[in-house]
Amino acid sequence: TLVRLRAQLSDSGETRELEARHADLTKRLAAKQAEKDRYVRTFAQGHISEEELETYMLDLKNQIENLRLLVESVDADLSRRREQAEIAETTHAWLLALRERLSDVEKNTEAAFQARRKLVRLLVAEVSAGEKREDGTSEVRITYRFDPPDEPETDRGLVVATVPNGTSLS
């Protein structure tokens, strides 16, 4: 997961493309605004008729509105990219902190055992074991939790199930 997050954080090529597209659309929008001013000056100088000006202005208005919609779309895409990058950075920091604390729960101490129990209670919603089969194995089903627990933490015992090779899960 850390490798994928690092790749996502370093993959800014699409963001650069969006930023370049935004800059291009913004320049084109400014050019259309300047074009509008030129049409008005041309009309004021008497080089085009009022009907021609109206036609040009209507066409220009549509072009400007289309460019604004494109700029808004690129703005929204850039905003999503920034949001995703922020989430990725936060997740990256969280996973690094978790990796640093992993050694704390892997120790062979009572405190580490209690920490592992707490982690299991937070991460596992349910563990169930089926009946023993003819071949001596049992099906063990573990349902993981991907959201916060609904109930306050209680001192529930851990479920221990026997697996085919005789080792137990805790």
Side-chain angles (χ1 to χ4, degrees), residues 97-107:
L98 189 61
R99 183 171 63 183
E100 288 173 9
R101 303 233 16 233
L102 188 59
S103 64
D104 293 343
V105 296
E106 289 180 335
K107 294 177 183 171

Side-chain angles (χ1 to χ4, degrees), residues 28-38 60 64 68:
R28 288 171 54 192
L29 187 59
K32 291 296 176 184
Q33 296 289 358
E35 187 177 340
K36 180 180 176 182
D37 294 340
R38 284 193 302 275
L60 199 54
I64 288 172
R68 282 189 180 138

Side-chain angles (χ1 to χ4, degrees), residues 39-40 42-44 46-60:
Y39 282 133
V40 171
T42 304
F43 170 72
H47 297 293
I48 60 173
S49 69
E50 190 173 334
E51 294 80 27
E52 288 175 309
L53 176 64
E54 190 175 315
T55 302
Y56 290 140
M57 294 301 264
L58 191 59
D59 182 49
L60 199 54

